[in-house]
Structure formats: structure tokens, C-alpha cells
Amino acid sequence: MGKRRKAREVALQFLYQLDLRGEADPAPSSEEFWSRHPVDPEVRVFCEVIVRGTMLHRQKIDELITQYALHWDLERMAVVDRNILRAGIFELLWTTDVPPKVAINEAIEVAKKFGTQESSRFINGILDRIHKELRPG
């Protein structure tokens, strides 16, 4: 497994933890999280970029999920799916070193590993629509 894929998987776990605890700032939980999830420094750096960026833009990201996930209430969505979407949208819209197709594909692969059988299709549909409408060309 590549370092970035590992970072995305660990970021999902960190975002999941923050979501369940109702925490918006990853800093207070960081030391405890990393003591339970020791990883390569390069993996940690990319993971922290995803987690901090996702939490920084979470309000806008959640608005986009609500807008594009037709007939889905954000709070009733599976916690795993919601956080894969959050991280995927962050990568899609706020990173410059990840091509959109890579961001979408990586979110799908993480969903296949951590989500339900339907998660990858659900996540693909939402991220693809956001990409086509908000990052044309």
C-alpha cells in the first residue's frame, strides 16, 4: 500500500474519532491518536494535512454534502461515509497536488475497505457531481 493511501485511511480514522466525540479541533486529540496509530512520518504529515484541512473547511464541506447528497440527511448518513466524503471533498477542492480523478478514486478505494457494499457507489456519485459542477475542465 502506498504512503498516501495509508495516510487517507488513517485520516479517516482520525476524522471518525473527531466526529464521534463532537470535536472540531484535532489538536487536543492529536497526541493520544498518534500514540495509538504510529505511522511513518511521511504518512503522518499527509494525514494531518487531510485532517486539518477537512476540519478547517468542514462547514462548507458539510453544506456541499447536504446539497449533493439528495434525499440524505447528513446526520443520518453512516459516520464512515460522511467522513470519507469530507476528506474526499477537501482533497478535490482544496488541494493542488492531487488530481481530481485520483482524489475520487482514492475515496472510493477507502470506502470499499471501510464502508458498506453500497458506500463506494454512493461516494463516487457525490464526488463525481461535485467535481463536474465545481471543478469543470
Side-chain angles (χ1 to χ4, degrees):
M1 173 187 319
K3 290 182 179 187
R4 285 199 160 196
R5 169 76 53 83
K6 178 67 176 173
R8 288 177 177 99
E9 291 180 359
V10 176
L12 170 62
Q13 293 169 332
F14 202 162
L15 291 168
Y16 184 96
Q17 174 182 306
L18 293 170
D19 197 356
L20 289 182
R21 292 181 177 179
E23 297 175 357
D25 181 5
S29 300
S30 187
E31 188 175 324
E32 178 228 343
F33 180 84
W34 291 118
S35 71
R36 290 184 292 112
H37 298 86
V39 294
D40 178 277
E42 206 175 324
V43 170
R44 181 173 172 166
V45 167
F46 189 58
C47 174
E48 288 180 337
V49 166
I50 294 169
V51 172
R52 283 193 313 267
T54 299
M55 297 309 288
L56 178 67
H57 298 286
R58 186 170 152 186
Q59 182 177 346
K60 177 62 177 170
I61 289 169
D62 285 356
E63 289 170 9
L64 290 169
I65 294 171
T66 300
Q67 178 183 346
Y68 286 91
L70 303 176
H71 313 294
W72 280 93
D73 178 27
L74 185 66
E75 295 306 314
R76 296 191 65 204
M77 193 177 288
V79 179
V80 168
D81 292 354
R82 179 171 60 231
N83 285 289
I84 293 170
L85 281 170
R86 285 174 173 158
I89 292 168
F90 167 72
E91 280 197 76
L92 196 59
L93 299 180
W94 283 279
T95 61
T96 56
D97 66 332
V98 179
K101 290 185 182 205
V102 172
I104 294 169
N105 187 58
E106 287 295 310
I108 292 166
E109 292 303 316
V110 172
K112 287 178 182 176
K113 183 171 181 177
F114 292 95
T116 66
Q117 198 169 8
E118 296 81 30
S119 294
S120 59
R121 284 183 45 232
F122 175 67
I123 287 165
N124 182 40
I126 294 171
L127 292 179
D128 191 52
R129 284 186 61 220
I130 289 172
H131 169 59
K132 286 178 180 168
E133 293 183 26
L134 299 181
R135 279 193 66 164

